[in-house]
Amino acid sequence: MMQPVLNPKSSPQFEHSGDCVLALDCQALIDAAGPLPVSGAVHRRFADLGADLLAELKPVQVIMPLFAQGYDAMTAIEELERLQFTGRITVIAPKLPRPRLVERELRSLGPGLRLALISPN
């Protein structure tokens, strides 16, 4: 069964209990003053992503934008899969004409139901 595209204002994907949430290149979006505040997120760039960083932080969730400077979510998800990341992945997208189609495509890269797309649709 397909998970619904989540509403960022009430998304349970952003609730965590002290576990590490790694945010890649989205500080302006999820910072305390941003439109999707996440307290305690660890902000890093995609260029910093590697086995050492995942081993150090042990994130339960990685949050990223659908499009970022120099890469997109598909590239980041492929890298997370290569690094054998098994936690949740949340992709923040702008308004999309077919968000469920995009979500299915991203899930097909490996994370399956561990991935959620948040779009203002």
Side-chain angles (χ1 to χ4, degrees), residues 41-55:
V42 176
H43 293 276
R44 295 291 188 274
R45 297 180 333 238
F46 173 69
D48 300 330
L49 184 61
D52 291 344
L53 181 66
L54 293 179

Side-chain angles (χ1 to χ4, degrees), residues 3 10-11 20 30 32 40 49 60 71 75 87 89 95-96 116:
Q3 280 184 327
S10 63
S11 174
C20 179
I30 67 168
L49 184 61
V60 297
Y71 74 98
T75 302
I89 299 171
K95 188 171 184 175
L96 300 169

Side-chain angles (χ1 to χ4, degrees), residues 2 8-9 12 19 36 72 76-78 94 99 103 105 107:
M2 194 66 132
K9 299 289 188 212
D19 293 321
L36 301 168
D72 61 20
I77 292 165
E78 287 171 343
E103 186 175 49
E105 187 173 339
R107 285 178 172 180

